[in-house]
């Protein structure tokens, strides 16, 4: 079974977690164009690589960031969201 | 006495032709380069040669013919989709399937079984009524039936599903079929090969040469080829190729897994799908039960298979067919599904001139193999999308004009 480390609860089976996709900056809906908004809503960086992603440990409802290699299926780091630097 | 075999064995020159010609070298240029020797790429090559007389074509495959999702899927063929665009398109595919074995002179083991999508909730039943009406409107054989019809077609089923998800009815689609997936790739491949198309296995596309917004050539692991037209038909590898041409799309990759049981006596004629239980099942001509579930829960560009999948699928399977508890699982595997937000494919032209996409086939593209080949060949030759695929163009996302097919494609494939 695959193990994911929750920053609050420690290592847990991945089936306890919910994946919510890559961390992506949202354009300002008041000022961006329709094309920019469509790009944000629909388009994804679908290529493999190391990605920063939103995950949630569902039993404790803990949201956090995981850095994961989507080709090797290896979780490199997990930590709480600190805001965008 | 098998005379033909004897003659073959005694003949030192082995006159029997191989299935495919091997070519030592790539040519320096082709009219069309197709990336991916899955069913889709090979079908496009076949129709380019047969219907348009374009034979200076090569198909580049990094692995082996049919080794992608074509050889990994659970082979369900049907056309009872939800959107008018989808229904018309898949119906044309089902029509094309009927003659393929004869066209190829190769038995595809196309077996018409009938297809039930089970409803365990009122809302599922409502979507099925909707689908049935759209289907009938376009002349597709499709109807909502009661639980007794399911029981009659599959007497071993527990209609209460262990008491927690009773079956309220089903969408029944008489044309639902299965076929031998490898043979489809081989049939299209051999047909194209015989007409002069070159298939190069073990040849990976590493880059695409785009100058001034136009395709000029392709870099491969065996050298450079110049060409003005490239068709990308690589399913789970689509985002990697899109990166080479700098195109942004909604396509994302999740694995889809499947498994087969040991062979048992024939007991299940139809194909059964349950969206609520995330299960679908059919019995192959060899007696194996072919089973699948929904997508893996997170993005992954790999084809590993998991115990979680087998445990989840078998527990739901036993709700439907408790007697299967003694049947052994024989093999399990995964493919990389190229998913889209609206569960419809992305096909046709792109902002890069000469770069054509046949992608976004996710968990549902095997049945579409013939019609994809046909419509993509037409699109490449005329440089305008075939009328059947205009609803699937990439620019539907920037235009906020999606083709919502989720109600018919999510677990049903
Ligand atoms: C488990 C599973 C079950 C499914 N069940 C069904 C079903 O019941 N019914 C249905 O209709 N559909 C089903 N599907 C979906 C279906 O299998 C696919 O949509 C379809 O087979 C895609 O075919 P293709 O020819 O486009 O791609 P593929 O068969 O994946 O072929 C693409 C080829 O491109 C090659 N390639 C990739 N990158 C490169 C490169 N850089 N250079 C050269 N070659 C490259 C790959 O090696 C591969 O051989 C299922 C899929 C899976 C994984």
């Amino acid at each position: 079974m695959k193990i994911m480390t929750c920053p609050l609860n420690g290592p847990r089976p991945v089936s306890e977690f919910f994946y919510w996709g890559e961390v992506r900056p949202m354009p300002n809906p008041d000022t961006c164009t329709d094309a920019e908004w469509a790009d944000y809503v629909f388009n994804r960086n679908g290529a493999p690589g190391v990605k920063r992603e939103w995950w949630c440990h569902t039993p404790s409802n803990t949201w956090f960031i995981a850095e994961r290699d989507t080709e090797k299926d290896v979780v490199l780091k997990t930590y709480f969201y600190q805001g965008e630097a | 006495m098998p005379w033909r075999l004897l003659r073959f064995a005694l003949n030192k020159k082995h006159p029997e032709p191989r299935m495919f010609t091997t070519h030592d070298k790539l040519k320096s240029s082709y009219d069309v380069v197709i990336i991916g020797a899955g069913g889709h790429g090979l079908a496009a090559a076949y129709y380019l040669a047969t219907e348009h007389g374009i034979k200076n074509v090569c198909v580049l495959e990094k692995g082996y013919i049919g080794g992608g999702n074509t050889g990994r899927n659970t082979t369900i063929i049907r056309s009872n989709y939800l959107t008018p665009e989808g229904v018309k398109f898949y119906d044309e595919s089902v029509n094309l399937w009927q003659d393929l074995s004869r066209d190829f002179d190769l038995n595809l083991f196309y077996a018409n079984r009938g297809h039930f999508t089970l409803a365990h909730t009122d809302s599922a039943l409502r979507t099925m009524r909707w689908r049935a009406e759209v289907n009938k409107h376009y002349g597709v054989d499709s109807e909502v039936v009661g639980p007794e019809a399911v029981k009659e077609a599959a007497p071993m089923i527990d209609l209460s599903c262990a008491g927690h998800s009773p079956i309220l009815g089903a969408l029944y689609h008489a044309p639902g079929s299965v076929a031998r997936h490898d043979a489809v790739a081989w049939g299209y491949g051999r047909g194209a090969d015989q007409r002069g198309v070159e298939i190069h296995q073990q040849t990976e596309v590493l880059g695409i040469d785009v100058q001034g917004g136009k395709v000029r050539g392709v870099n491969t692991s065996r050298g450079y080829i110049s060409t003005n037209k490239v068709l990308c038909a690589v399913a789970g590898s689509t985002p990697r190729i899109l990166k080479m041409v700098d195109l942004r799309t909604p396509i994302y990759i999740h694995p889809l897994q499947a498994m087969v049981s040991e062979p048992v006596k024939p007991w299940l004629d139809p194909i059964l799908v349950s969206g609520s239980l995330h299960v679908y099942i059919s019995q192959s001509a060899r007696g194996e039960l072919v089973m699948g579930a929904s997508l893996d829960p997170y993005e992954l560009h790999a084809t590993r298979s998991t115990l979680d999948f087998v445990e989840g699928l078998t527990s739901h399977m036993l709700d439907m067919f408790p007697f299967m508890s003694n049947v052994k699982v024989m093999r399990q595997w995964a493919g990389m599904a190229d998913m889209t937000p609206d569960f419809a494919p992305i096909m046709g032209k792109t902002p890069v001139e000469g770069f054509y996409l046949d992608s976004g086939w996710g968990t549902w593209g095997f049945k579409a193999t013939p019609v994809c080949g046909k419509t993509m060949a037409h699109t490449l030759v005329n440089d305008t999308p075939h009328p059947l695929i205009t609803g699937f163009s990439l620019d539907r996302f920037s235009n906020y004009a999606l083709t919502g097919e989720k109600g018919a494609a999510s677990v049903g494939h």
Side-chain angles (χ1 to χ4, degrees), chain B residues 36 39-40 61-62 69-70 73-74 76 205 363-367:
Chain B
H40 286 222
E61 168 55 53
K62 72 173 175 191
N69 289 354
T70 296
N73 72 79
T74 44
I76 298 172
V205 170
T363 65
W364 52 85
F366 173 69
K367 65 181 72 63

Side-chain angles (χ1 to χ4, degrees), chain B residues 141-153:
Chain B
D141 192 347
S142 177
E143 59 181 321
V144 174
V145 296
E148 63 296 336
V150 177
K151 187 77 183 172
E152 200 185 323

Side-chain angles (χ1 to χ4, degrees), chain B residues 60 204-209 217-225 244:
Chain B
L60 306 178
E204 182 170 3
V205 170
L206 303 173
I208 298 173
D209 182 11
V218 174
N219 272 308
T220 80
S221 53
R222 290 168 61 214
Y224 182 84
I225 307 169
M244 299 174 187

Side-chain angles (χ1 to χ4, degrees), chain A residues 34 38-39 46 51 68 70, chain B residues 240 248-250 298-299 301 400:
Chain A
D34 284 356
D39 180 66
K51 299 188 181 181
R68 195 169 62 89
T70 65
Chain B
R240 300 177 207 227
R248 282 176 62 74
T249 76
Y298 58 91
E299 179 184 13
H301 300 260
Y400 300 89

Side-chain angles (χ1 to χ4, degrees), chain B residues 35-41 60-64 66-77 203-205 233-237 241 244 256-258 280 333-336 358 361-368 413:
Chain B
I35 316 175
H40 286 222
L60 306 178
E61 168 55 53
K62 72 173 175 191
Y64 58 93
N69 289 354
T70 296
R72 295 165 191 269
N73 72 79
T74 44
T75 80
I76 298 172
I77 297 166
T203 308
E204 182 170 3
V205 170
V234 297
S237 299
I241 303 284
M244 299 174 187
L256 180 69
Q257 305 192 43
Y280 61 94
W333 66 90
M336 293 186 287
D358 174 18
W361 282 110
T363 65
W364 52 85
F366 173 69
K367 65 181 72 63
H413 303 319

